[in-house]
Amino acid sequence: SQQGEEDPQALSIQEGENATMNCSYKTSINNLQWYRQNSGRGLVHLILIRSNEREKHSGRLRVTLDTSKKSSSLLITASRAADTASYFCATDITGGGNKLTFGTGTQLKVEL
Amino acid sequence: ETGVTQTPRHLVMGMTNKKSLKCEQHLGHNAMYWYKQSAKKPLELMFVYSLEERVENNSVPSRFSPECPNSSHLFLHLHTLQPEDSALYLCASSQIGGDEKLFFGSGTQLSVL
């Protein structure tokens, strides 16, 4: 069974609104990472949060991690049409980054 | 995606063909990966090479054969594939012992007829 599962599977919002995506996982992790993928392209790393961190910010992105609930959330504030993409969480169990397990992703559509 | 180049971008092949996917990274990383992305499925890790040695092989069928001649190049040799092997194949690289994030190429969209 997969380690990470994103929720919702699809999300449609208006430009300027905030978008929140959630990720749940099953086993203890070393770190959790969020990636973005534009249609038919490779994934781009957004942010990494370690198991001893609770919150992290990068520009309009805010990531939280709750290890007791084995969940993480990605918040994109003031969304733009260019944020339209699929967003994936990936868990690193061993540390070192050489075996990430990805979820199925959340498809975000930001409409003008 | 910058720094990891995959060719070809698209590939159509018959089940009896032999083809190869190529990946090159210009980031000085010491690990390279092949992932398979099928519709509505999580990314599947296929192979990991660390310092040019294969350290991970996730029960991938033998019709997929990886090759890592040096730390900058990675190949995936394909032969007698099945239609269910049609997918986006993504190459990635990282620095083991570094910042632990993956850098992906744009992928090869493979269609097996």
Side-chain angles (χ1 to χ4, degrees), chain A residues 2 30-31 33 35 37-38 40-45 48 50 88 92 95-104, chain B residues 1 9 33 35 37 40-43 45 48 55-56 58 88 90 94-97 99-102 104-106:
Chain A
Q2 64 199 54
N30 179 282
N31 67 69
Q33 304 180 32
Y35 287 79
Q37 183 181 35
N38 288 80
R41 309 290 292 184
L43 282 72
V44 176
H45 181 269
L48 180 154
R50 300 194 183 280
F88 296 85
D92 186 350
N98 64 337
K99 191 175 179 182
L100 292 183
T101 304
F102 287 82
T104 51
Chain B
E1 300 173 32
R9 286 283 285 126
Y33 312 74
Y35 279 87
Q37 186 176 32
K40 299 185 179 179
K41 284 187 177 181
L43 264 74
L45 178 61
V48 180
V55 296
E56 189 78 23
N58 277 350
L88 181 67
L90 292 163
S94 74
Q95 184 65 21
I96 301 295
D99 61 8
E100 298 162 285
K101 60 186 181 183
L102 296 181
F104 284 84
S106 296

Side-chain angles (χ1 to χ4, degrees), chain A residues 2-112:
Chain A
Q2 64 199 54
Q3 167 72 330
E5 275 189 48
E6 291 89 345
D7 170 60
Q9 290 189 337
L11 179 61
S12 183
I13 59 174
Q14 297 294 311
E15 199 172 48
E17 295 180 338
N18 295 341
T20 299
M21 288 157 268
N22 303 296
C23 171
S24 59
Y25 56 91
K26 294 182 171 62
T27 61
S28 296
I29 60 171
N30 179 282
N31 67 69
L32 185 144
Q33 304 180 32
W34 285 90
Y35 287 79
R36 163 197 168 124
Q37 183 181 35
N38 288 80
S39 180
R41 309 290 292 184
L43 282 72
V44 176
H45 181 269
L46 295 176
I47 198 164
L48 180 154
I49 187 165
R50 300 194 183 280
S51 59
N52 61 353
E53 297 175 310
R54 291 296 166 259
E55 188 171 311
K56 209 159 181 182
H57 297 255
S58 176
R60 293 184 295 113
L61 305 180
R62 174 181 167 242
V63 169
T64 61
L65 180 65
D66 186 335
T67 52
S68 66
K69 294 182 179 178
K70 291 186 170 59
S71 67
S72 174
S73 67
L74 170 67
L75 168 68
I76 303 174
T77 59
S79 63
R80 306 165 181 168
D83 294 327
T84 295
S86 293
Y87 292 82
F88 296 85
C89 68
T91 51
D92 186 350
I93 298 172
T94 59
N98 64 337
K99 191 175 179 182
L100 292 183
T101 304
F102 287 82
T104 51
T106 292
Q107 283 189 305
L108 172 66
K109 184 175 182 181
V110 182
E111 299 186 83
L112 296 170

